[in-house]
Amino acid sequence: MTTRADYVVAGLGALGSAAAYELASRGHEVVGLERFELGHAHGASHDSSRILRHSYHTPAYVRLTQEAYADWARLEQVSGRDLVTTVGGLDLFPRDAAIPPVDYVDSLREVGIEHEMLDPAEVTRRWPQLALADDVMALYQRDAAIVPAALGTRTLQERATRFGARLQPHSAVVGVTDVGDGLEVATAEETFGCRGLVVTADAWVNDVLRHLDLHVPVEVTLEQVTYFRPADPARFAPGRMPLWIWMDDPSYYGFPTYGDATVKAAQDCGGPTVDPDDRTSEPDLAMEQRLASFMAELLPGSGPPVRSLRCQYTLTPDRDFVLAPVPELPSVVVGLGAAHGFKFAPTFGRLLADLAVDGGTATDLTDFRLDRPALTDPAYAAHWLV
């Protein structure tokens, strides 16, 4: 027996949950398939917080952040939940930084996003929690904000089910077949006939696409976030402390207190390459101590580490998104966030729904196509610090 649906979404992290919500809200019959339990901690949509910001290295990304802010506001309105906490954000560039500040400044300027360039003295005057060397340049963007990871994902799932989407945990895709006038998507228990498939399986994207003899080159790394307990948490509260990103190699990022009296920080792209089906969830003490040493210099009052959690990055070679139909089979649409997609989650959902239903969208997604050189040229040199 084959169960009919309009669209199947494979993978129900933040991006897939957003796609299921968007498709269901437009009146389509939607089935969402998740290989683990809903809200699981095996991927990249769990834990407390993610960064929402305008500062990016290309005008195209900055314009997309404008859509993200609007889509988060829309989600807040329809869900009745406060999801965006504006705290301001600092991008910190030491001398000869591996990530050039000019790209960020020029991109913000071209799109018309208000921002400030601050010297170390002005940064420490405004935020004395930070200890900066004399050669550090700071880019400040006042609209930078925190969005909740687990709560945001759950909100999208709740919206999807409210509009009738059927979200199935413990339902890994074991087969996808092109049947000419649609697709058949199989789990171990059931087969779904549908007109379109949205693949948002992140680290398991190729487990789904292999059934169509397709492959996207991705590398999965095991990352770690650590929570620090300051002696005076009030000094690090939203409104008194911004979020920040250290724009060098290694790159680090961190938050004010959010949810509890701890400061969260992590290294970006600092973990080992792993198999997502065979990796540990145990904290890495060497990674924790490396981060703690950096925090002791940058935020000397942030206190000792009190807990560390693991998460995954699924990285494309150029660290750009995938937001595209499969060229030879446009009924299959792929969404990959390349380890910086959560801030765009509601936008991903809207754009993936556009692509699945209409075959296109008003947003220019040329840079995120599947047939770009970074994904088709075996000699492409991967680079992740952007």
Side-chain angles (χ1 to χ4, degrees):
M1 295 272 309
T2 299
T3 302
R4 296 301 306 176
D6 294 326
Y7 297 96
V8 172
V9 178
L12 293 174
L15 308 189
S17 298
Y21 161 47
E22 280 287 341
L23 287 164
S25 71
R26 300 179 192 188
H28 301 290
E29 189 170 356
V30 177
V31 172
L33 304 175
E34 170 54 55
R35 68 189 298 124
F36 302 109
E37 68 275 10
L38 298 181
H40 66 83
H42 301 285
S45 295
H46 59 289
D47 196 30
S48 61
S49 52
R50 297 292 187 273
I51 292 173
L52 174 63
R53 60 187 170 110
H54 284 304
S55 60
Y56 255 97
H57 59 295
T58 70
Y61 270 115
V62 175
R63 293 187 183 97
L64 198 61
T65 67
Q66 293 178 304
E67 298 188 34
Y69 273 85
D71 288 327
W72 277 105
R74 179 168 60 95
L75 182 60
E76 286 186 310
Q77 182 178 24
V78 298
S79 69
R81 262 182 198 146
D82 293 329
L83 299 171
V84 178
T85 302
T86 302
V87 296
L90 289 168
D91 294 321
L92 302 171
F93 299 88
R95 185 187 301 276
D96 300 322
I99 304 171
V102 63
D103 295 340
Y104 284 73
V105 175
D106 287 352
S107 296
L108 290 170
R109 184 178 295 125
E110 179 172 326
V111 180
I113 301 295
E114 182 180 342
H115 60 281
E116 297 179 78
M117 299 304 299
L118 307 177
D119 62 25
E122 181 60 18
V123 171
T124 54
R125 186 189 71 79
R126 297 189 191 186
W127 304 286
Q129 305 92 328
L130 288 155
L132 299 183
D134 292 340
D135 64 351
V136 176
M137 173 189 300
L139 168 61
Y140 177 64
Q141 214 287 302
R142 68 180 183 183
D143 291 335
I146 302 171
V147 288
L151 176 61
T153 302
R154 186 167 69 249
T155 299
L156 291 163
Q157 291 170 353
E158 291 170 355
R159 297 302 300 170
T161 56
R162 181 185 179 94
F163 283 97
R166 173 183 169 189
L167 306 185
Q168 292 194 182
H170 307 293
S171 299
V173 173
V174 299
V176 182
T177 305
D178 177 11
V179 293
D181 60 346
L183 303 165
E184 289 186 349
V185 181
T187 69
E189 303 295 332
E190 196 169 1
T191 297
F192 300 91
C194 59
R195 73 175 73 156
L197 169 66
V198 178
V199 182
T200 46
D202 202 53
W204 295 271
V205 59
N206 290 313
D207 284 8
V208 179
L209 294 181
R210 67 182 174 85
H211 299 292
L212 297 168
D213 294 323
L214 300 170
H215 180 83
V216 180
V218 294
E219 190 162 335
V220 180
T221 63
L222 184 57
E223 305 298 336
Q224 180 167 284
V225 300
T226 298
Y227 289 82
F228 297 80
R229 189 175 302 282
D232 182 8
R235 292 186 67 230
F236 296 86
R240 296 185 65 183
M241 175 73 195
L243 60 85
W244 54 271
I245 305 174
W246 184 256
M247 308 293 278
D248 202 8
D249 186 9
S251 177
Y252 300 95
Y253 62 91
F255 300 78
T257 59
Y258 179 80
D260 64 14
T262 56
V263 172
K264 174 182 170 182
Q267 182 178 347
D268 185 53
C269 294
T273 300
V274 294
D275 178 344
D277 291 316
D278 183 23
R279 55 88 163 175
T280 183
S281 295
E282 292 299 313
D284 183 310
L285 293 181
M287 292 177 70
E288 182 178 289
Q289 287 304 310
R290 185 165 64 244
L291 176 63
S293 296
F294 179 83
M295 291 288 285
E297 294 184 5
L298 184 72
L299 286 167
S302 55
V306 292
R307 67 181 184 276
S308 292
L309 303 174
R310 306 310 290 267
C311 64
Q312 287 178 177
Y313 276 15
T314 302
L315 297 157
T316 55
D318 53 5
R319 208 174 178 183
D320 280 332
F321 299 150
V322 174
L323 265 167
V326 172
E328 302 82 6
L329 189 61
S331 58
V332 178
V333 175
V334 181
L336 277 171
H340 61 118
F342 192 96
K343 66 177 67 66
F344 298 97
T347 303
F348 258 85
R350 176 173 54 80
L351 297 176
L352 289 168
D354 288 347
L355 293 172
V357 176
D358 303 322
T361 184
T363 301
D364 183 2
L365 301 179
T366 304
D367 292 342
F368 309 136
R369 65 192 188 276
L370 276 164
D371 58 357
R372 65 184 190 261
L375 303 184
T376 58
D377 182 357
Y380 188 91
H383 57 94
W384 298 331
L385 288 178
V386 293

